[in-house]
Amino acid sequence: MTHTRTEITAELVRDLLRDQHPDLADHPVGLGARGWDNQLWRLGEDLAVRLPWATQSADALLRKEHTWLPTLAPHLPLRVPVPQRLGEPSERFPRPWIVTTWVPGTPADLAPATRAADAADRLAAFLTALHQPAPDGAPAGRNRGGPLADATEQFAEQLASATELGLIPDPDAVRAIWDDAVAASPWTGPPLWLHADLHPANVLTADGTFCGVVDFGDLCAGDPAYDLAAAWILLPANAVDRFHAAYQPTPDAATLRRARGCAVARALAGILIGDAGLRGRPGGKPTWGPPAHAALHRLLAAAHR
């Protein structure tokens, strides 16, 4: 993580709005969250300002959202942050930033879905709507959406790290899920639109079910298995089969194998980030650990059935 040298404060956000979008400058401003790439500031009741702060890649990700998400959002059944304005780099803040709609809800790493059937149906409806053929010129993923074999080295490193820390009860079983996914037939259909980053902190809940999806910075075109992994990552126990029945078109066996591999990789990453948060390390997020451990437990239990 490379933090921006500019301290982001409510006053800075107001000054940026006065400079470039003065009609919004009088709305109340308050910190919403500090994410992996961006800070999120609430702007009045219905808007938010996102500013890159922790990674150099965040600039391009924000511009990508501003370009593509307004065309996708009207077709999605869950609320998403629709870009409204673009802020350009300036002397006051040397990076681009965007104003989006505010999406109410609580991140699922803080409030997991508990209404299993409803959550499965909502997630399936969202991904069915999103997973449409992407047009020529759609963005490529950052090591997501393509062949799983390309990520084998990274997976092996994460598994080794988690095993050394004593975080994985059965590393051989975890590796077997990944190896089976890599051996599955590749995606041969057209590249589909993917969110590509459906972990619990990017999916919002209310009343025990999903109500919104945020952070489309990794939006890309590719293999839907990367998003179908979310069934194991986000849903309560015993809801995965209902999700697969509701998602259309029904995924074939090879796609489900690849999705399980993506899910076990996502769970590993969450376990490591959660552990780093407990140890006070930079970039660590302690709330990521429990849902990642729960997801890995579900994956291993399913593999042994």
Side-chain angles (χ1 to χ4, degrees), residues 239-252:
V240 173
D241 289 344
R242 183 177 180 116
F243 168 84
H244 291 150
Y247 174 83
Q248 297 297 319
T250 302
D252 61 25

Side-chain angles (χ1 to χ4, degrees), residues 92-105:
R92 197 182 298 278
F93 188 73
R95 307 180 69 174
W97 47 279
I98 60 174
V99 179
T100 74
T101 55
W102 173 261
V103 182

Side-chain angles (χ1 to χ4, degrees), residues 200-242:
N202 283 344
V203 180
L204 307 181
T205 65
D207 300 321
T209 191
F210 302 129
C211 63
V213 178
V214 299
D215 194 351
F216 282 74
D218 280 297
L219 182 72
C220 64
D223 178 359
Y226 278 78
D227 279 354
L228 296 179
W232 286 281
I233 299 299
L234 297 171
L235 291 173
N238 303 318
V240 173
D241 289 344
R242 183 177 180 116

Side-chain angles (χ1 to χ4, degrees), residues 155 158-175 264 267-269 271-272 292-293 296 300:
F155 175 84
Q158 290 185 327
L159 180 58
S161 296
T163 301
E164 290 172 7
L165 291 168
L167 302 173
I168 305 299
D170 191 346
D172 289 339
V174 172
R175 186 179 297 105
V264 81
L268 266 183
I271 287 169
L272 287 169
H293 279 288
L296 186 63
L300 292 175

